[in-house]
Amino acid sequence: MTDTLAEVKRHGKHYTPTDLANFLAERVLGQVDGSREEISVLDPACGDGELLLAIHKVAAERLPTTRLVLTGYDLDASAVAIAQMRAEEMGVRINLHEGDFLDASRELPNGSFDAVITNPPYVRTQQLGQEAAQTLATKFGLTGRVDLTHPFVVLLPSLLRAGGVVGLLCSNRFLTTKAGANVRRVFQRSLQPVELYDLGDTKLFTAAVLPAIIVALNRTPDQATSCTFTSAYEDASADPTAHLDLYTALISKTDNVINHDSRTIAVRAGYLVPIDNTDEPWRLSHASGDEWLKKTAAATWRTFGEIAKIRVGVKTTADKVFISDNWHKADPKPEGEILVPLITQSNLTPWCISESLSTRVLYPYDMSRSKRTLVDMARFPNAMSYLEANATQLKSRRYVVEGGREWFEIWVPQKPSMWAAPKIVFPDISVNARFALDLSGAIVNGNCYWISSDDVGDDDLVHLMLAVANSSFGLRFYDEVCGNKLYAGRRRWMTQYVSKLPLPNPNIPESKKIVQITRELLATGEAPDDEQIRIINDLVESAFSNPPSSVDHESRDTLF
């Protein structure tokens, strides 16, 4: 079966590789009651049948006397045809149905299956379309940004008999993102997770989807039942410690560094931290990491989120019109006064922002006003002519006009007057921490976040925050608590993660020294050298090494 990249992206067609399908089948059948004479298994989005065929293969080895009843649904007629052909060639009987399972499920009695094994389509709101996403949200009680995986997960408890087993393979985004609360909610309130695998950037899929597996039982969850949690991410700096294949390493219940497809993969084993709040990300509990976090919590004065609000940058929803490095080539060329320097993911350097940003955004707002107020565009005839030349694209954003705006406005301009104040800026995606202090009054793009000094209210605290965020300590904290990575170790520095970063007591000597050095460093306008970075890292480590009795605040038990 061949699909164009566009079809794969739009319809979520990421079929399961055979080795991964066999691994998931083994984990599912390892939880099934093997004494049953008959086991019914459903894949509600079966694609080419790989997962159901894997169940048959593993069951033939583990449960040779058990009768299997396999059922599969898929919306794609060609996929169902291929699944049927493969099943016939292997002599496997599968009850295959072409159609939308989200509709077909209404005809199935509750508790129809002993197990569900599935890799449901992963299609985000952008591909679904706002109307379809809203329909699914209403129908299945979903909130936030809807992914097509979410309604399939909502149906799982009703499909399974009591004590039945689910094996879900999906994007690992559900572990940590706000939108993932739709999935976490089901597993925290209606199912009992028993095995969890964050497969990270192991590249088990050809698509850019970072997968995760969760195996759970259909029973009321209780915190007394532990869920093993294993993660696997590339670590090019590590040396292999074991000669294991990836799937063996995942179930070894020990930390290992292995070779996989000519890459070095660090496998970390622990348990899922019990959490009541479905808005909180899931975290791997690890003996050494937990002890370090406990000490950090005891020495924490405040978190970033307690000090200030973290905001996302402007979202134009028409970047090719509003943002450019080459405004001198525009015809007509907008007036320079309305083109404002823009900090983006690509031009953001750690510690301090360059004074010569080439990227500009056409920003049609009065920057002296806190509320969104358009400038008099009659003063900028060239800019207005430029916008009118792009009217077709801009007017296609119907939501802008429906939101009571002019058709040429930026969708999310933020509060214009706030740009002038000093601010900490950092990118959404970056391998390492890239927090910088901007004193230029530049605007921040939507692929970055920012913290206004006006919110912090203390210039020393701003410099302390900058140093902690850029330190090796801050990076480790991020990895222990947040751990949301993309391919090649790129981290997602989103609001819910950065807000958890800790600050030491600003009144202790180490903190005061950190502030002093950071000020001196920024005054040079140059990037710090290795020795300066070492000094800052050592001071931050020392600031969090104070015993609880020496910290001027009520000691914390946890930061998450």
Side-chain angles (χ1 to χ4, degrees), residues 19-20 22-23 26-27 197 199 202 204 230-232 240-263 265-267:
D19 288 347
L20 184 55
N22 290 337
F23 177 79
E26 288 172 353
R27 308 324 301 161
Y197 305 90
L199 301 176
T202 49
L204 298 177
T230 305
S231 68
T241 60
H243 297 288
L244 301 173
D245 67 82
L246 175 62
Y247 296 105
T248 301
L250 288 173
I251 59 174
S252 69
K253 296 187 178 180
T254 58
D255 292 355
N256 288 293
V257 180
I258 62 167
N259 283 320
H260 173 70
D261 286 348
S262 301
R263 296 187 305 135
I265 303 295
V267 177

Side-chain angles (χ1 to χ4, degrees), residues 155-171:
L155 290 172
L156 291 174
S158 63
L159 295 170
L160 290 165
R161 66 166 177 81
V165 183
V166 58
L168 172 67
L169 169 62
C170 64
S171 164

Side-chain angles (χ1 to χ4, degrees), residues 63-80:
L63 307 168
T65 62
T66 301
R67 178 173 178 265
L68 285 182
V69 180
L70 305 177
T71 302
Y73 287 79
D74 205 280
L75 193 60
D76 186 340
S78 61
V80 172

